[in-house]
Amino acid sequence: MRSKLGGRVAQAAEIALATRKYVTPIDVLTGLRWLHDRHVETWRQGRADSLERLAAVDAARMAEALSHLRAWAVSRDLVESEAAYTAGTRDRRPLRFTAAGDEDLERAFRVHWLSPDLSEARRRQIAERQSKAPDLVAVAPLDAWTCAGCGDTGPYLIMEGDRPHCLTCADMDHLCFLPAGNAALSRRAKKESGLSAVVVRFNRRRKRYERLGVLVEEEALTRAEEQCLADEEARLRRRERDRERRAGEDAEFQARMAAEIRRLFPRCPAERAEAIAAHAAVRGSGRVGRTAAARVLDENAITLAVIASVRHLDTDYDELLMAGTPRMTARERIRPRVEEVLTAWRG
């Protein structure tokens, strides 16, 4: 009989496999909510000595989850593949998952599980992408700071170990800043540049780093601009085709979500189910309908989308918030009404 943790691991792994055709231990740990994406990003940037330091559980508990993951993957006949993890720092040092650095457990973290349906070429492509070192990161700090090398400061800092360095001390002061906004230009400038770094700034409200642009060599930027001018018309046509394709995909996904809502809540009016799906599944909205779980029509994710709709449209939740009621207090007050509507829709 599968344990409670084993069931949770299997659910997180199933979602990752359905979404990308492969599963990593980090997919499972984030699916279990033991790690957040921002923790993984901080670790990949080399700003933490181990992933364990950022996790909500210790190495022993993570090892237990990885044991369940292996058992699940073997039962599904998934293909084992090992990837390298290197830090987004100048020295490209190997990343460590646990504080103690036990080699057997470290290797278990590096193992990825791939669908047997993938071609050999696709498996190699995934392995290469997973093993690729992340971009160097330059931080646009929010607060005053001092370079550990020269004692000066500047608009950006590069972390080397646990100490900040200015671009001059990091030998990157010859790079120029390209603001975000033109994906093709940024991609080509990075490709042409022998040395580059992604510039980020921490958003305190969202509690995550957000991309501002890239630092690239000036000659590389010039070449990238020439390339973009040469095929601008072709890229415009491709963007229009991509827009139409995405619109079709979104419409099909919303229809499937609405059908799943009606299956879980048979007495939910059809037009309401369609409205819930259309709202929750808006591309780029960050709503529950765009999560990996919702994209594979996970029952819990679909139910959360329905609850969110009921909360805002069938209760006085918004009025309570506008009156200054704390969010969790307001949710507790409206809980009976939410359950009443859900019970009626379930029939």
Side-chain angles (χ1 to χ4, degrees):
M1 181 178 177
R2 178 181 287 171
S3 68
K4 183 177 180 180
L5 177 59
R8 293 175 63 202
V9 167
Q11 182 182 33
E14 290 282 3
I15 290 171
L17 183 64
T19 304
R20 300 187 302 178
K21 301 298 183 183
Y22 66 90
V23 184
T24 73
I26 290 178
D27 292 332
V28 171
L29 296 180
T30 54
L32 293 173
R33 300 293 189 268
W34 291 353
L35 283 169
H36 292 286
D37 289 339
R38 65 178 181 273
H39 296 146
V40 178
E41 181 182 6
T42 297
W43 173 70
R44 291 301 302 265
Q45 291 174 4
R47 302 179 66 194
D49 62 355
S50 70
L51 194 60
E52 181 184 359
R53 301 287 190 197
L54 306 174
V57 297
D58 61 15
R61 188 62 167 163
M62 290 193 289
E64 184 181 356
L66 295 194
S67 177
H68 286 297
L69 172 60
R70 172 172 285 277
W72 170 85
V74 170
S75 71
R76 295 290 302 271
D77 294 325
L78 300 188
V79 179
E80 182 175 346
S81 175
E82 187 173 342
Y85 283 82
T86 53
T89 55
R90 291 292 294 272
D91 58 6
R92 298 304 197 193
R93 67 180 182 274
L95 287 168
R96 201 166 66 185
F97 294 88
T98 61
D102 176 78
E103 183 51 39
D104 290 339
L105 185 51
E106 291 290 312
R107 182 184 181 280
F109 269 103
R110 295 194 298 268
V111 171
H112 296 178
W113 298 97
L114 283 63
S115 168
D117 299 332
L118 292 172
S119 66
E120 188 62 35
R122 177 61 175 153
R123 292 176 191 174
R124 286 197 301 270
Q125 184 183 42
I126 291 173
E128 290 171 1
R129 183 170 67 243
Q130 290 296 310
S131 298
K132 182 181 178 182
D135 292 319
L136 290 174
V137 175
V139 179
L142 298 174
D143 303 315
W145 70 283
T146 302
C147 174
C150 65
D152 204 349
T153 187
Y156 311 116
L157 62 87
I158 300 286
M159 295 298 295
E160 294 187 355
D162 59 352
R163 302 198 302 169
H165 290 74
C166 66
L167 295 187
T168 299
C169 290
D171 295 325
M172 298 177 68
D173 55 345
H174 63 293
L175 303 180
C176 61
F177 177 65
L178 172 60
N182 187 327
L185 181 60
S186 296
R187 182 178 63 254
R188 286 171 167 171
K190 279 182 60 183
K191 184 178 180 180
E192 291 288 333
S193 188
L195 179 64
S196 65
V198 174
V199 179
V200 300
R201 175 182 290 144
F202 189 72
N203 185 317
R204 288 196 173 111
R205 182 174 62 84
R206 296 184 175 181
K207 297 181 179 179
R208 69 185 188 191
Y209 282 93
E210 297 181 339
R211 182 169 176 154
L212 300 181
V214 292
L215 293 170
V216 294
E217 296 166 346
E218 191 168 355
E219 297 80 2
L221 177 56
T222 299
R223 291 193 295 272
E225 289 172 335
E226 292 171 351
Q227 293 170 11
C228 286
L229 286 174
D231 65 355
E232 182 176 7
E233 185 176 346
R235 286 186 293 108
L236 286 173
R237 290 197 300 269
R238 185 167 61 247
R239 280 201 296 269
E240 180 60 23
R241 290 195 301 271
D242 289 344
R243 186 192 65 78
E244 293 174 355
R245 174 182 54 78
R246 287 193 297 267
E249 291 174 350
D250 289 349
E252 189 270 339
F253 173 52
Q254 289 173 17
R256 289 193 296 114
M257 181 182 288
E260 183 65 8
I261 291 172
R262 292 298 307 282
R263 187 187 72 81
L264 296 174
F265 301 92
R267 294 189 179 179
C268 175
E271 62 274 13
R272 182 64 181 276
E274 292 170 0
I276 293 172
H279 177 79
V282 172
R283 187 182 292 266
S285 65
R287 297 170 187 149
V288 67
R290 297 306 305 184
T291 62
R295 290 200 295 274
V296 296
L297 301 181
D298 175 73
E299 181 175 332
N300 183 59
I302 300 301
T303 301
L304 289 176
V306 173
I307 290 174
S309 176
V310 172
R311 183 185 297 136
H312 290 289
L313 299 183
D314 300 283
T315 75
D316 59 351
Y317 178 67
D318 290 350
E319 287 80 0
L320 290 171
L321 293 183
M322 288 299 293
T325 305
R327 182 167 58 90
M328 298 312 297
T329 302
R331 290 193 175 191
E332 190 60 34
R333 288 185 186 177
I334 65 166
R335 189 184 303 278
R337 173 57 181 162
V338 172
E339 290 299 330
E340 179 184 346
V341 174
L342 296 182
T343 300
W345 283 359
R346 288 191 178 104

